Amino acid sequence: MEELKPIRSALISVYHKDRVDEIARRLFELGITLYSTGGTYDFIAALGIPVQTVESLTSYPSILGGRVKTLHPKVFGGILYRRDNPEDRNQLEQYDIPGIDLVIVDLYPFEATVSSGASRDDIIEKIDIGGISLIRAAAKNFEDVVIVPSSDQYDRIINLLEDKKGFTTLEDRLYFAAQAFNVSSHYDTAIFNYFNRDTGIKAFKKSILNSEEMRYGENPHQQAVYFGDASESFEQLNGKAISYNNLVDLDSAISLIGEFEEPAFVIIKHTNACGVAVRPKLIHAWQDALAGDPLSAYGGVLATNRPIDPETAEEINKLFFEILLAPAFEKNALEILKSKKNRIILQHKPTDFQAKQFKSILNGVLEQGRDTQTESPADLHVVTKTSPDNQQVKDLIFANIIVKHLKSNAIVLAKNGQLLGAGCGMTSRVDALKHAIAKSQEFGFSLEGAVMASDAFFPFADSVEIASKAGIKAVIQPGGSVRDDDSIRYCNEHGVSMTITGTRHFRH
């Protein structure tokens, strides 16, 4: 049977005092000697619970405006001494150092202070020194000492004190030690990233404490965990648990719908848009987005940038879909959509995505800046004799937004604010174009007068030739091919306008 070790004394030094009263009372009931510092001491003493100051232990006051309180051999010796080591025990007796078996610490709120926009001086003062040292010391000596490194562990320590009456097992102490290094490493990472904003040291240091275990990953045989807080991006109003693939698709949907200012609807399938439309009235945006590819829309992820009204909800309700994301829902609309209990309904919250993106590659990590470039009419450089008219310019911008969010190679065909056909994830640009044309024809669209957007340059004139013969009258592309002149020449000979943006939008 695993050996139980008693807690005879505890040091409590916390920034936030929530629930400290519960813990202190339970420790007192168990006859455990309490030591504390500053405001924590005042808080516990006010409860009428016997508690000793750390200053009475060390014979030194808190100095340097509170920067030095617990950094003393009489504190760290009591934590770090090895109970089964005779020499350690002799030294504790020699220097009159009491043992400390439980350490409860709540670090200064460094991240919250940074997020608040506080001054540099205030931020620096929230770099905890004593607390982080106590955490590391107690965790290092987990064979004998229990460390509670944050308020997130209060439930567990309270339950442990109740169940084991002030005793702990090695398994208990090892768990708390692991949590302690989780907290301390996260804290140090946050501090490094703050300082590194100005220094530019090339190091990959990211830490996320929040996690949610997924039922499985992309496929049932793959395990998966989401690290982050999805509730920052949306509130779930209905439906089953969100899956790994759902989250991936939602990331794409939120990124794309955020590009549009007019009322818009997007339909995402396997991270790619299969239906997009902008219209003055939301129900028409939905109907035209769905018309773009009603076959692929089945089981898709839907997103809009306007509140859902009952009329639109009735139309959406006719389709089987996985997820609907919108900024708001009128009451009657929500009741209509909640008619299917597994259907995931999400209320979108304004989301600022981090500036960097990361991808796991070859046992390493690739980091890049997020593609935040979105072209406007001012970015369009007409290189042909024919210029696009006002409606075509709007459609070119619309198509270029969509193609930016598709897997490369990607082509988008659009007209009057509606996606008519898309080809994406193709190994050649010509194949992407042919697929887009085939899609548009499959669902009865005429491409006469439509526009084409390409995520990268045309290496040959074949794509513009195929597009022109299908009815395309305006083209937008980044340019940069050594054969750009071939494509421009063909457009000039066949009355097609071409604009070049100078910005490629590959997506792999």
Side-chain angles (χ1 to χ4, degrees):
M1 187 173 179
E2 190 171 3
E3 179 187 1
L4 291 169
K5 289 195 173 182
I7 299 173
R8 296 188 176 93
S9 60
L11 169 61
I12 306 177
S13 180
V14 297
Y15 186 83
H16 297 105
K17 309 302 187 290
D18 295 343
R19 304 194 68 191
V20 170
D21 55 338
E22 294 179 57
I23 297 172
R25 285 194 176 95
R26 189 59 186 143
L27 292 172
F28 171 63
E29 291 168 0
L30 292 169
I32 295 169
T33 300
L34 300 184
Y35 299 98
S36 194
T37 61
T40 310
Y41 169 83
D42 293 338
F43 179 84
I44 295 173
L47 298 172
I49 296 172
V51 57
Q52 299 180 41
T53 65
V54 167
E55 290 86 350
S56 69
L57 178 64
T58 65
S59 300
Y60 273 88
S62 173
I63 62 173
L64 305 181
R67 281 189 166 197
V68 179
K69 289 182 284 192
T70 57
L71 297 170
H72 193 280
K74 280 206 168 184
V75 174
F76 283 85
I79 294 170
L80 284 165
Y81 92 93
R82 291 157 290 192
R83 273 61 169 174
D84 60 354
N85 186 304
E87 186 175 345
D88 283 7
R89 292 200 303 269
N90 289 338
Q91 286 187 333
L92 252 69
E93 186 175 347
Q94 176 184 354
Y95 295 109
D96 191 26
I97 299 174
I100 297 174
D101 307 308
L102 168 64
V103 177
I104 300 175
V105 178
D106 179 23
L107 296 172
Y108 291 163
F110 177 81
E111 289 178 281
T113 305
V114 173
S115 298
S116 72
S119 69
R120 172 173 286 193
D121 286 348
D122 288 341
I123 290 170
I124 298 305
E125 288 308 310
K126 289 301 186 292
I127 297 177
D128 206 311
I129 302 300
I132 204 77
S133 301
L134 290 169
I135 286 175
R136 292 179 64 84
K140 177 177 180 175
N141 203 23
F142 68 91
E143 293 279 358
D144 299 303
V145 178
V146 183
I147 172 63
V148 180
S150 79
S151 58
D152 292 337
Q153 302 303 317
Y154 284 179
D155 279 339
R156 193 175 183 106
I157 189 63
I158 289 170
N159 290 336
L160 186 149
L161 292 171
E162 289 286 341
D163 296 342
K164 296 181 180 176
K165 311 303 180 187
F167 288 80
T168 65
T169 65
L170 178 61
E171 182 182 4
D172 295 328
R173 297 188 297 276
L174 185 60
Y175 169 83
F176 280 108
Q179 288 288 358
F181 286 118
N182 185 28
V183 168
S184 66
S185 62
H186 177 83
Y187 197 75
D188 284 340
T189 296
I191 295 169
F192 167 78
N193 286 330
Y194 171 75
F195 279 90
N196 201 38
R197 296 190 303 187
D198 299 323
T199 57
I201 297 170
K202 300 302 180 188
F204 180 75
K205 295 186 185 295
K206 296 293 175 185
S207 178
I208 302 173
L209 294 178
N210 294 326
S211 65
E212 180 180 350
E213 191 168 341
M214 303 279 97
R215 195 153 59 95
Y216 52 80
E218 281 186 284
N219 302 292
H221 63 276
Q222 294 173 274
Q223 293 183 329
V225 178
Y226 170 65
F227 293 98
D229 185 2
S231 67
E232 293 179 353
S233 298
F234 52 74
E235 177 186 355
Q236 184 165 354
L237 305 179
N238 189 69
K240 60 186 178 181
I242 296 173
S243 71
Y244 177 103
N245 290 332
N246 290 156
L247 285 174
V248 175
D249 284 340
L250 277 167
D251 183 74
S252 296
I254 291 172
S255 296
L256 177 54
I257 197 64
E259 298 266 20
F260 298 108
E261 295 182 2
E262 300 174 75
F265 242 109
V266 304
I267 303 172
I268 299 293
K269 198 70 173 289
H270 297 295
T271 75
N272 291 304
C274 60
V276 185
V278 293
R279 294 288 181 265
K281 193 171 182 182
L282 189 63
I283 189 171
H284 297 150
W286 161 249
Q287 290 169 336
D288 288 346
L290 178 62
D293 189 345
L295 186 63
S296 295
Y298 183 86
V301 172
L302 322 178
T304 182
N305 56 1
R306 293 294 190 275
I308 300 289
D309 57 81
E311 182 185 20
T312 305
E314 288 284 7
E315 290 298 309
I316 297 171
N317 198 45
K318 297 174 182 177
L319 178 74
F320 169 76
F321 60 89
E322 281 277 316
I323 299 174
L324 171 60
L325 177 130
F329 297 85
E330 294 184 20
K331 182 179 179 180
N332 292 341
L334 187 59
E335 293 306 312
I336 293 167
L337 294 165
K338 289 171 70 173
S339 60
K340 302 288 193 299
K341 67 177 183 178
N342 286 332
R343 179 184 282 165
I344 299 171
I345 307 297
L346 305 176
Q347 184 164 335
H348 184 210
K349 301 176 183 178
T351 305
D352 290 327
F353 285 113
Q354 60 186 4
K356 300 290 186 180
Q357 292 179 311
F358 311 98
K359 184 178 288 189
S360 175
I361 294 291
L362 300 173
N363 291 330
V365 176
L366 280 174
E367 176 187 296
Q368 69 170 352
R370 183 177 292 275
D371 185 358
T372 58
Q373 175 67 32
T374 300
E375 284 69 44
S376 69
D379 298 310
L380 308 189
H381 177 52
V382 180
V383 293
T384 50
K385 296 176 183 177
T386 302
S387 296
D389 61 31
N390 290 338
Q391 182 58 50
Q392 287 173 335
V393 168
K394 290 181 180 179
D395 285 336
L396 289 170
I397 296 297
F398 171 80
N400 200 53
I401 287 172
I402 299 170
V403 85
K404 167 186 168 182
H405 291 269
L406 297 179
K407 296 287 187 182
S408 301
N409 289 304
I411 292 288
V412 163
L413 307 177
K415 185 178 180 180
N416 296 328
Q418 182 183 21
L419 173 61
L420 304 183
C424 53
M426 298 292 185
T427 52
S428 81
R429 200 152 301 282
V430 168
D431 284 343
L433 173 57
K434 288 180 177 178
H435 183 79
I437 292 172
K439 274 290 186 181
S440 65
Q441 291 173 343
E442 180 182 356
F443 299 111
F445 292 111
S446 169
L447 293 177
E448 191 61 39
V451 306
M452 174 173 70
S454 175
D455 65 337
F457 64 63
F458 299 111
F460 303 100
D462 48 5
S463 291
V464 292
E465 180 179 353
I466 294 168
S468 174
K469 290 178 178 178
I472 299 299
K473 295 301 181 185
V475 177
I476 185 170
Q477 58 129 336
S481 168
V482 295
R483 293 187 174 89
D484 274 348
D485 287 345
D486 294 347
S487 295
I488 294 169
R489 186 180 305 111
Y490 184 91
C491 288
N492 280 332
E493 291 171 355
H494 295 82
V496 176
S497 71
M498 177 178 285
T499 59
I500 287 179
T501 65
T503 302
R504 189 180 73 184
H505 290 294
F506 266 166
R507 189 164 182 256
H508 292 92

